[in-house]
């Protein structure tokens, strides 16, 4: 995903994101079928700066075909204002979970967590993760 989707990951991170579908934990390289990922995942922040708020973004950079991703990033989920050590269900869902339905090939669904600089609600913009994060002063994912 570096440098295709993001430039880097923050070296100063004190937060970790845990995502699972029906108890099956998402980890690098783990294959999860579209049927298993149809329902909204569970996403929990472990740690994080006390009193901080976080934004979770999930793009698929492989649309429509990993060999020819001419559509670029396809947005699957945005949740803002998630409290440190909290669950995505405690935040504001800006874009509801859109389960995977890749027309061809195996796609990457990337869960990115950003520490917000303030508590104002963040809105959805024309979607490119790098541009969207910059527009909202999110810095690098943590």
């Amino acid at each position: 995903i570096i440098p295709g989707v993001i430039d880097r990951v923050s070296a100063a991170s004190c937060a970790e994101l845990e995502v699972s579908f029906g108890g099956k934990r998402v980890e690098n390289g783990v294959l999860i079928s579209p049927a298993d990922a149809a329902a909204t995942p569970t996403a929990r922040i472990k740690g994080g700066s006390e009193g901080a708020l976080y934004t979770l973004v999930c793009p698929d950079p492989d649309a429509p075909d990993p060999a020819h991703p001419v559509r670029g990033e396809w947005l699957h989920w945005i949740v803002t204002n998630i409290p440190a050590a909290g669950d995505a269900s405690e935040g504001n869902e800006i874009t509801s979970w859109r389960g995977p339905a890749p027309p061809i090939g195996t796609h990457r669904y990337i869960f990115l967590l950003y520490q917000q600089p303030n508590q104002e609600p963040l809105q959805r913009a024309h979607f490119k993760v790098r541009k969207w994060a910059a527009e909202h002063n999110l810095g690098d994912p943590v």
Side-chain angles (χ1 to χ4, degrees):
I1 66 170
I2 298 172
V5 177
I6 59 173
D7 293 321
R8 66 192 149 274
V9 174
S10 174
S13 173
C14 63
E16 181 180 328
L17 179 65
E18 289 185 351
V19 179
S20 61
F21 289 96
K24 185 173 185 179
R25 191 171 171 181
V26 173
E27 297 179 306
N28 287 337
V30 170
L31 292 177
I32 297 176
S33 73
D36 288 341
T40 304
T42 300
R44 177 164 264 307
I45 299 170
K46 289 179 61 178
S49 300
E50 186 175 338
L53 293 174
Y54 293 84
T55 291
L56 171 63
V57 180
C58 179
D60 165 8
D62 300 325
D65 176 354
H68 303 287
V70 294
R71 287 192 186 157
E73 296 167 26
W74 193 262
L75 180 62
H76 284 269
W77 200 24
I78 296 178
V79 183
T80 63
N81 300 322
I82 305 169
D87 186 279
S89 65
E90 299 173 61
N92 298 328
E93 193 172 63
I94 302 300
T95 301
S96 299
W97 173 251
R98 295 178 188 157
I104 188 169
T106 300
H107 289 228
R108 299 170 293 162
Y109 296 82
I110 302 166
F111 293 89
L112 299 169
L113 185 67
Y114 293 88
Q115 184 171 336
Q116 294 176 205
N118 54 44
Q119 287 188 298
E120 71 182 56
L122 301 177
Q123 300 300 317
R124 182 176 172 207
H126 174 70
F127 195 74
K128 270 292 203 185
V129 168
R130 184 181 289 117
K131 182 180 178 196
W132 185 84
E135 287 173 354
H136 294 294
N137 299 314
L138 293 176
D140 296 325
V142 296

